[in-house]
Amino acid sequence: MNLNTRNISQQSTLCGRMFKRVILTAAVIGLSGCATMTDWFADEDEIKIRRIAPIENQITPKEVWSYTIGDGVDEYFSRLKPVFANDTVYAAERHGEVVALTPDTGDVVWERNFAIFPDESFWDDIARLWRSGASAKISAIAAGYDMVFVATEDGIIRALNSESGETLWESTVPGEILATPAMDEGILVLNTGAGVLFGLDAKTGEQLWRSETDVPPLSLRGISAPVATNGGALVGTPTGKLQVNILTSGIPAWETAITAPAGATELERIIDVDSAPVVFGNTVYIVSYDGTLAAVELRSGRIMWKREYGSYRDLAVSGNRIYVVDTRSIVYALDRRNGVEIWSQSGLKERNLTTPLIMGEQLVLGDRWGLMHWLNAEDGKLIARYDLGGDDEDEAIYATPVKVNDLVVTITRDGEIAALSAQ
């Protein structure tokens, strides 16, 4: 796609969004007190959650730049989010578009499209100008070793040159790749929904090893993103365990049960560990969906302490604190040394918050209706809010925001990438 075509596409998308927001605003005025047209289809409990109490901003968030990438992830489950590396922001949308942007202005450095077309004839190339093809089902993106790794729900992993976007290699593994790959010591680690962990040569895509684990009859759609560090590949499992494999061989080093199933039905017995392990010094922090937050000794797998917090979101750790967003979207700060609770913030309850991004003395989170929230990391108080999505679930902020120098970069469900500053 040439630059002129891209500009037309961008303008068309932006005009469509502007039209939608104008119609939405008109509906709000006409309804005399109903905040959005989506109220027509919402029950009373949902409306109560969405009608968030106003606050007085203590800092002033503002949009520095924005870029629209395709249709985002639409209504599909996804944890696809931008990544910052090599002084470049890399982003993708589920259908197939991948783009590299400058961090200060959002200008395009390069772009690729991996949407699937059945033929590769001359006329098919022409038809691509107005046909979108079948979805590539892009699910994750990572960067390292001067490459950008793009993974799909069909088990395809591609390595692109980080400066040009050129495809360097492509490989396929059995199973859905739903989590961001990890890398260390030249090895790319992939976790799949089939319960298999793969180690690939990051330079060639050659499979070096595989390690299988049990998958229960019923589990959550998401899976734990692996972490590669200290010669090991760490990952949470659907059976409630923290598993560590030797990075170079894939041989299991140890595994520790974080939680155990309880209850009479399969639904009650869901104990997935969907969060990515967080390694801080000699300790690993991990949380399970059913309500166990644990600190584990890295070398031995010995559990140092446990607390009753349940989450499918990643943890955020800084200094002596752990920040947790639980399954009800209550935010907690704990002392990472002993798990003692320092504060909790329930003012955003049931808003489907993202994992908090730590920005100095502040925490930044997005929610289901497109709002960005700033919390004081010291006491958990709400200090600022920015309306990016216009109270529209199609523009929900579904993935953890990304720190890009002094900016917060986030993406909405319909593909709007926005860089925000707050002073």
Side-chain angles (χ1 to χ4, degrees):
M1 184 182 291
N2 61 38
L3 183 59
N4 289 334
T5 304
R6 178 67 208 176
N7 287 339
I8 292 172
S9 175
Q10 285 277 83
Q11 291 169 7
S12 176
T13 303
L14 291 174
C15 287
R17 287 209 177 118
M18 290 175 64
F19 176 77
K20 179 172 70 173
R21 290 181 178 178
V22 169
I23 293 297
L24 190 60
T25 302
V28 172
I29 295 172
L31 288 172
S32 301
C34 293
T36 67
M37 192 164 57
T38 55
D39 282 357
W40 296 354
F41 310 103
D43 59 33
E44 185 175 339
D45 289 340
E46 181 180 324
I47 293 173
K48 184 177 180 180
I49 294 168
R50 199 167 73 235
R51 292 293 165 267
I52 190 168
I55 64 170
E56 183 177 346
N57 281 357
Q58 298 175 29
I59 56 176
T60 307
K62 64 179 181 179
E63 189 171 303
V64 177
W65 58 260
S66 66
Y67 179 90
T68 302
I69 182 165
D71 294 322
V73 299
D74 203 10
E75 78 277 9
Y76 294 94
F77 167 84
S78 182
R79 290 177 173 171
L80 183 62
K81 65 176 184 177
V83 62
F84 180 55
N86 308 311
D87 198 35
T88 305
V89 176
Y90 302 99
E93 53 108 20
R94 187 177 185 272
H95 194 80
E97 186 176 342
V98 181
V99 67
L101 307 172
T102 58
D104 298 329
T105 62
D107 293 336
V108 176
V109 179
W110 56 257
E111 58 184 343
R112 295 286 307 276
N113 196 329
F114 293 100
I116 301 168
F117 290 84
D119 299 308
E120 293 295 336
S121 68
F122 170 78
W123 293 111
D124 286 303
D125 288 339
I126 297 297
R128 288 179 185 227
L129 295 176
W130 65 86
R131 285 193 352 230
S132 61
S135 174
K137 302 178 186 176
I138 293 176
S139 55
I141 185 170
Y145 305 122
D146 296 323
M147 289 181 279
V148 178
F149 301 97
V150 181
T152 78
E153 295 170 21
D154 291 328
I156 299 171
I157 179 78
R158 296 181 177 92
L160 313 181
N161 181 290
S162 62
E163 293 185 356
S164 65
E166 174 191 1
T167 300
L168 302 177
W169 57 257
E170 179 180 314
S171 186
T172 303
V173 298
E176 295 180 300
I177 304 171
L178 299 175
T180 304
M183 65 202 79
D184 195 26
E185 299 183 20
I187 297 175
L188 186 70
V189 182
L190 306 175
N191 192 19
T192 69
V196 184
L197 195 67
F198 291 92
L200 308 183
D201 186 314
K203 291 184 178 180
T204 66
E206 177 189 0
Q207 182 179 312
L208 302 177
W209 52 262
R210 60 180 286 164
S211 176
E212 299 186 21
T213 188
D214 295 332
V215 178
L218 187 63
S219 64
L220 300 179
R221 170 67 169 149
I223 56 177
S224 171
V227 172
T229 184
N230 295 313
L234 297 82
V235 68
T237 75
T239 54
K241 298 177 181 177
L242 172 62
Q243 174 183 305
V244 179
N245 295 67
I246 297 172
L247 185 57
T248 53
S249 65
I251 297 173
W254 55 260
E255 66 177 23
T256 295
I258 301 302
T259 186
T265 68
E266 292 296 340
L267 187 62
E268 292 173 323
R269 294 169 67 84
I270 292 177
I271 56 172
D272 296 51
V273 176
D274 271 8
S275 68
V278 177
V279 179
F280 196 100
N282 296 319
T283 306
V284 185
Y285 300 95
I286 194 80
V287 64
S288 70
Y289 171 76
D290 75 326
T292 303
L293 170 66
V296 182
E297 191 174 65
L298 178 59
R299 293 185 179 181
S300 66
R302 179 179 65 89
I303 293 179
M304 302 166 67
W305 54 257
K306 282 186 179 183
R307 296 291 181 267
E308 294 183 1
Y309 297 91
S311 181
Y312 54 88
R313 301 291 192 189
D314 289 344
L315 303 169
V317 180
S318 178
N320 288 326
R321 293 195 177 185
I322 304 173
Y323 301 100
V324 185
V325 175
D326 76 0
T327 54
R328 300 169 299 166
S329 286
I330 298 176
V331 188
Y332 297 92
L334 313 175
D335 190 315
R336 70 170 184 85
R337 297 166 294 187
N338 51 31
V340 172
E341 186 175 309
I342 299 171
W343 56 255
S344 65
Q345 170 55 260
S346 59
L348 305 173
K349 187 177 179 180
E350 307 297 348
R351 294 188 66 87
N352 288 20
L353 296 177
T354 66
T355 298
L357 169 67
I358 300 171
M359 291 288 291
E361 298 178 353
Q362 301 161 6
L363 305 180
V364 188
L365 312 91
D367 75 17
R368 174 182 174 183
W369 290 284
L371 295 182
M372 296 288 290
H373 307 275
W374 276 256
L375 274 63
N376 185 317
E378 182 63 27
D379 56 19
K381 292 181 179 178
L382 285 159
I383 58 173
R385 183 175 298 146
Y386 184 83
D387 186 356
L388 181 63
D391 196 30
D392 187 346
E393 289 186 74
D394 291 340
E395 297 186 57
I397 299 164
Y398 65 95
T400 313
V402 179
K403 185 178 186 298
V404 177
N405 298 326
D406 294 328
L407 300 177
V408 174
V409 171
T410 191
I411 187 168
T412 65
R413 187 163 283 280
D414 64 355
E416 182 179 356
I417 304 170
L420 309 174
S421 69
Q423 298 178 351

